[in-house]
Coordinates of all heavy atoms in Angstrom, one line a residue:
G1 N 82.7 81.0 119.8 CA 82.2 79.7 120.1 C 82.4 79.4 121.6 O 81.6 78.5 122.2
T2 N 83.4 79.9 122.3 CA 83.7 79.5 123.6 C 83.3 80.6 124.6 O 83.0 80.3 125.8 CB 85.2 79.2 123.9 OG1 86.0 80.4 123.5 CG2 85.6 78.0 123.0
R3 N 83.2 81.9 124.2 CA 83.0 83.0 125.1 C 81.7 83.8 124.7 O 81.3 84.7 125.4 CB 84.1 83.9 125.2 CG 85.1 83.4 126.4 CD 86.3 83.0 125.9 NE 87.4 82.7 126.7 CZ 87.9 81.5 126.7 NH1 87.6 80.6 125.9 NH2 89.0 81.3 127.5
G4 N 81.2 83.6 123.5 CA 80.1 84.2 123.0 C 80.3 85.7 122.4 O 79.3 86.4 122.1
R5 N 81.6 86.1 122.3 CA 81.9 87.3 121.6 C 83.3 87.3 121.2 O 84.1 86.4 121.5 CB 81.7 88.5 122.6 CG 82.5 88.5 123.9 CD 82.8 90.0 124.3 NE 83.6 90.7 123.4 CZ 83.8 92.0 123.5 NH1 83.2 92.7 124.4 NH2 84.7 92.6 122.6
A6 N 83.6 88.4 120.4 CA 85.0 88.5 119.8 C 85.9 88.8 121.0 O 85.6 89.4 122.0 CB 85.1 89.6 118.9
P7 N 87.2 88.4 120.9 CA 88.2 88.6 121.9 C 88.8 90.0 121.9 O 89.8 90.3 122.5 CB 89.3 87.6 121.7 CG 89.2 87.4 120.2 CD 87.8 87.6 119.8
Y8 N 88.3 90.9 120.9 CA 88.8 92.3 120.8 C 87.6 93.2 120.6 O 86.5 92.8 120.2 CB 89.7 92.3 119.6 CG 89.2 91.5 118.4 CD1 88.1 92.0 117.6 CD2 89.9 90.4 118.0 CE1 87.7 91.2 116.6 CE2 89.4 89.6 116.9 CZ 88.3 90.1 116.2 OH 87.8 89.4 115.1
D9 N 87.9 94.5 120.9 CA 86.9 95.5 120.7 C 87.0 96.0 119.4 O 86.1 96.6 118.8 CB 87.0 96.6 121.8 CG 86.5 96.1 123.2 OD1 85.7 95.3 123.2 OD2 87.0 96.7 124.2
A10 N 88.2 96.0 118.8 CA 88.5 96.5 117.5 C 89.6 95.9 116.8 O 90.5 95.2 117.5 CB 88.8 98.0 117.6
V11 N 89.7 95.9 115.5 CA 90.8 95.3 114.8 C 91.3 96.4 113.8 O 90.6 97.3 113.4 CB 90.4 94.1 113.9 CG1 90.0 92.9 114.8 CG2 89.4 94.4 112.9
M12 N 92.6 96.3 113.6 CA 93.2 97.3 112.7 C 94.2 96.6 111.8 O 95.0 95.8 112.3 CB 94.0 98.4 113.5 CG 94.6 99.6 112.6 SD 95.1 100.9 113.6 CE 96.6 100.4 114.3
T13 N 94.2 96.8 110.5 CA 95.0 96.2 109.6 C 95.9 97.2 108.9 O 95.6 98.4 108.8 CB 94.3 95.5 108.5 OG1 93.5 96.4 107.8 CG2 93.4 94.4 109.0
H14 N 97.1 96.8 108.6 CA 98.1 97.7 107.9 C 98.6 97.1 106.6 O 98.6 95.8 106.5 CB 99.2 98.1 108.9 CG 100.0 97.0 109.3 ND1 101.0 96.4 108.6 CD2 99.9 96.2 110.5 CE1 101.5 95.4 109.4 NE2 100.8 95.3 110.5
G15 N 99.2 97.9 105.7 CA 99.8 97.3 104.6 C 101.2 96.9 104.8 O 101.7 96.8 105.9
F16 N 101.9 96.7 103.7 CA 103.2 96.2 103.8 C 104.2 97.3 103.4 O 103.8 98.3 102.7 CB 103.5 95.0 103.0 CG 102.7 93.8 103.5 CD1 101.4 93.5 103.0 CD2 103.2 92.9 104.5 CE1 100.7 92.5 103.4 CE2 102.4 91.9 104.9 CZ 101.2 91.6 104.4
T17 N 105.4 97.3 103.9 CA 106.5 98.3 103.7 C 107.1 98.1 102.4 O 107.7 97.0 102.1 CB 107.5 98.4 104.8 OG1 106.8 98.6 106.0 CG2 108.4 99.6 104.6
V18 N 107.1 99.0 101.5 CA 107.7 98.9 100.1 C 108.7 100.1 99.9 O 108.8 101.0 100.8 CB 106.6 98.9 99.1 CG1 105.8 97.7 99.2 CG2 105.8 100.2 99.1
D19 N 109.5 100.0 98.8 CA 110.4 101.1 98.6 C 109.7 102.4 98.1 O 108.5 102.4 97.9 CB 111.5 100.7 97.7 CG 111.1 100.5 96.2 OD1 110.0 100.8 95.9 OD2 111.9 100.0 95.5
E20 N 110.5 103.4 97.8 CA 109.9 104.7 97.4 C 109.1 104.6 96.1 O 108.3 105.4 95.8 CB 110.9 105.8 97.3 CG 111.5 106.2 98.7 CD 112.6 107.3 98.6 OE1 113.5 107.1 97.8 OE2 112.4 108.2 99.3
N21 N 109.4 103.6 95.3 CA 108.7 103.4 94.0 C 107.5 102.5 94.1 O 106.9 102.2 93.1 CB 109.7 102.9 92.9 CG 110.8 103.8 92.7 OD1 110.6 105.1 92.6 ND2 112.1 103.3 92.6
G22 N 107.2 102.0 95.4 CA 106.1 101.1 95.6 C 106.4 99.7 95.3 O 105.5 98.9 95.2
E23 N 107.7 99.3 95.1 CA 108.1 98.0 94.8 C 108.5 97.2 96.1 O 109.0 97.8 97.0 CB 109.3 98.0 93.8 CG 109.0 98.5 92.4 CD 110.1 98.5 91.5 OE1 111.2 97.8 91.9 OE2 110.0 99.1 90.4
K24 N 108.2 95.9 96.1 CA 108.6 95.1 97.2 C 110.0 95.1 97.4 O 110.8 95.1 96.4 CB 108.1 93.6 96.9 CG 108.3 92.7 98.1 CD 107.8 91.3 97.8 CE 108.1 90.3 98.9 NZ 107.6 89.0 98.6
M25 N 110.4 95.2 98.7 CA 111.8 95.2 99.1 C 112.5 93.9 98.8 O 111.9 92.9 99.2 CB 112.0 95.7 100.4 CG 111.8 97.2 100.6 SD 112.3 97.8 102.3 CE 111.8 99.5 102.2
S26 N 113.6 93.9 98.2 CA 114.4 92.7 97.9 C 115.8 92.9 98.0 O 116.3 93.9 97.4 CB 113.9 92.1 96.6 OG 114.8 91.1 96.1
K27 N 116.6 92.0 98.6 CA 118.0 92.1 98.6 C 118.7 92.1 97.3 O 119.6 92.8 97.0 CB 118.6 91.2 99.6 CG 118.4 91.4 101.1 CD 119.2 90.5 102.0 CE 118.9 90.8 103.4 NZ 119.6 89.8 104.4
S28 N 118.1 91.2 96.4 CA 118.6 91.1 95.0 C 118.4 92.4 94.2 O 119.2 92.7 93.4 CB 117.9 89.9 94.3 OG 116.6 90.2 94.2
K29 N 117.4 93.2 94.5 CA 117.1 94.4 93.9 C 118.0 95.6 94.5 O 118.2 96.7 93.9 CB 115.6 94.9 94.0 CG 114.7 94.0 93.1 CD 113.3 94.6 93.3 CE 112.3 93.8 92.4 NZ 110.9 94.3 92.6
G30 N 118.4 95.3 95.7 CA 119.2 96.4 96.4 C 118.3 97.5 96.9 O 118.9 98.6 97.1
N31 N 117.0 97.3 97.1 CA 116.2 98.4 97.5 C 115.7 98.2 99.0 O 114.7 98.8 99.4 CB 114.9 98.5 96.6 CG 114.1 97.2 96.6 OD1 114.5 96.2 97.1 ND2 112.9 97.4 96.1
T32 N 116.4 97.5 99.8 CA 116.0 97.3 101.1 C 116.5 98.5 102.0 O 117.5 99.1 101.7 CB 116.6 96.0 101.7 OG1 118.0 96.0 101.6 CG2 116.1 94.8 101.0
L33 N 115.8 98.7 103.1 CA 116.3 99.7 104.0 C 116.0 99.1 105.4 O 114.9 98.9 105.9 CB 115.4 101.0 103.9 CG 115.8 102.1 104.7 CD1 117.1 102.7 104.3 CD2 114.8 103.3 104.6
E34 N 117.2 98.9 106.2 CA 117.0 98.3 107.5 C 116.7 99.3 108.5 O 117.3 100.4 108.5 CB 118.4 97.6 107.8 CG 118.8 96.5 106.9 CD 117.8 95.3 107.0 OE1 117.3 95.1 108.1 OE2 117.6 94.6 106.0
P35 N 115.8 99.0 109.4 CA 115.4 99.9 110.5 C 116.7 100.2 111.3 O 116.8 101.5 111.8 CB 114.5 99.1 111.3 CG 113.8 98.1 110.4 CD 114.9 97.7 109.4
D36 N 117.6 99.3 111.5 CA 118.8 99.6 112.4 C 119.6 100.7 111.7 O 120.1 101.5 112.4 CB 119.6 98.4 112.5 CG 119.0 97.4 113.6 OD1 118.1 97.8 114.2 OD2 119.6 96.3 113.7
T37 N 119.5 100.7 110.4 CA 120.4 101.8 109.7 C 119.8 103.1 109.9 O 120.4 104.1 110.1 CB 120.4 101.4 108.1 OG1 121.0 100.1 108.0 CG2 121.3 102.4 107.4
V38 N 118.4 103.2 109.8 CA 117.7 104.5 110.0 C 118.0 105.0 111.5 O 118.2 106.1 111.6 CB 116.2 104.3 109.8 CG1 115.5 105.6 110.0 CG2 116.0 103.8 108.3
I39 N 117.8 104.0 112.4 CA 118.0 104.4 113.8 C 119.5 104.9 114.1 O 119.7 105.9 114.7 CB 117.7 103.2 114.7 CG1 116.2 102.9 114.6 CG2 118.1 103.5 116.2 CD1 115.8 101.6 115.3
R40 N 120.4 104.2 113.4 CA 121.8 104.6 113.7 C 122.2 105.9 113.0 O 122.8 106.7 113.6 CB 122.7 103.5 113.0 CG 124.2 103.7 113.4 CD 125.0 102.4 113.0 NE 124.8 102.0 111.6 CZ 124.2 100.9 111.3 NH1 123.5 100.1 112.2 NH2 124.0 100.6 110.0
E41 N 121.5 106.2 111.9 CA 121.8 107.4 111.2 C 121.0 108.7 111.7 O 121.5 109.8 111.7 CB 121.6 107.3 109.7 CG 122.6 106.3 109.0 CD 122.3 106.1 107.5 OE1 121.3 106.6 107.0 OE2 123.1 105.5 106.9
S42 N 119.7 108.4 112.0 CA 118.8 109.5 112.3 C 118.1 109.4 113.6 O 117.6 110.4 114.1 CB 117.7 109.6 111.2 OG 118.3 109.6 110.0
G43 N 118.2 108.2 114.3 CA 117.5 108.0 115.6 C 116.2 107.4 115.4 O 115.5 107.4 114.4

């Protein structure tokens, strides 16, 4: 509406991160995995 074209040349979408069984991560389920933990243990 203001410039006559999209403000991007391309868009990219991604899904969400889930556990190994495909279930949503939840602290109550105990299936979360913190990035900091991975970085600390493996880099």
Side-chain angles (χ1 to χ4, degrees):
T2 59
R3 277 113 171 126
R5 62 150 291 167
Y8 42 70
D9 288 335
V11 296
M12 185 167 75
T13 60
H14 60 82
F16 295 91
T17 303
V18 295
D19 72 6
E20 288 183 311
N21 298 317
E23 296 183 8
K24 182 179 178 181
M25 290 190 180
S26 167
K27 288 186 177 179
S28 61
K29 289 183 180 179
N31 64 344
T32 58
L33 186 66
E34 295 296 329
D36 284 351
T37 303
V38 178
I39 293 171
R40 188 167 55 252
E41 292 178 353
S42 305

